[in-house]
Amino acid sequence: MNVDKAMEKLKEEGYKYTDKRMDMLQLFKDESRYLAAKDVLEALKDKYKGLSFDTIYRNLSLFSDLGILETTELAGEKKFRFTCSTDHHHHHLICLECGKTRHIDECPMDVSPVSAEGFAVTGHKFEVYGYCNECQES
Ligand SMILES: [Zn+2]
Ligand SMILES: [Zn+2]
Ligand SMILES: [Zn+2]
């Protein structure tokens, strides 16, 4: 996912193209890591006076409903990042400190496929948490 594709998607779905939305998406592009709504507020509050946490949260939820952002829960807080543009099935290593992610191609479902009788598996989630090289040094 990138800013242009995201704006296209918004237009397709009938949502308005606003500078605020554009700036939010640009922030996710520049940061390329998991951000909480309060991080987005922190980054944009000087430019948009009176911008509320609710407005940001509503927009981030919309972006995630449209598949523009993906979400995870870190330390009890919902975090957002751009959805990966690859169709290739993969999982993420997520740094708990800075929110940066790395791809891992190993999939636990390949190693031990689930076969539960009477249950049709349609997908799965798998994330690995820890600290990236940079965050281990500091
Ligand atoms: Zn990815
Ligand atoms: Zn880190
Ligand atoms: Zn997998």
Side-chain angles (χ1 to χ4, degrees):
M1 190 51 71
N2 59 44
V3 176
D4 288 343
K5 266 202 239 164
M7 294 312 285
E8 219 169 275
K9 179 86 189 160
L10 282 170
K11 212 170 96 192
E12 258 171 43
E13 301 287 334
Y15 291 99
K16 259 193 292 176
Y17 177 112
T18 63
D19 287 348
K20 217 180 281 173
R21 283 181 174 152
M22 181 81 180
D23 280 340
M24 284 183 203
L25 294 167
Q26 192 61 44
L27 178 70
F28 280 99
K29 183 193 163 272
D30 293 344
E31 295 281 337
S32 74
R33 62 191 178 92
Y34 274 109
L35 298 171
K38 70 170 192 305
D39 300 326
V40 178
L41 181 62
E42 194 56 39
L44 298 184
K45 69 173 196 284
D46 289 337
K47 182 164 177 189
Y48 298 100
K49 301 281 173 218
L51 182 63
S52 75
F53 182 85
D54 277 1
T55 304
I56 298 212
Y57 199 83
R58 258 203 318 275
N59 276 288
L60 297 184
S61 300
L62 168 70
F63 294 158
S64 103
D65 288 346
L66 295 177
I68 294 167
L69 298 180
E70 57 187 41
T71 63
T72 192
E73 191 120 349
L74 296 179
E77 198 172 28
K78 201 162 186 186
K79 305 249 187 168
F80 303 81
R81 72 187 278 278
F82 260 134
T83 304
C84 291
S85 20
T86 175
D87 288 333
H88 179 69
H89 181 81
H90 66 276
H91 295 282
H92 290 147
L93 300 175
I94 303 173
C95 178
L96 295 168
E97 188 68 33
C98 67
K100 287 202 181 105
T101 60
R102 270 169 59 183
H103 283 186
I104 40 172
D105 290 320
E106 293 88 1
C107 174
M109 288 290 269
D110 293 342
V111 183
S112 55
V114 172
S115 55
E117 210 175 312
F119 188 86
V121 175
T122 59
H124 64 274
K125 278 187 179 174
F126 177 69
E127 291 178 334
V128 182
Y129 309 108
Y131 297 97
C132 72
N133 279 350
E134 284 149 50
C135 292
Q136 283 175 50
E137 277 161 21
S138 56

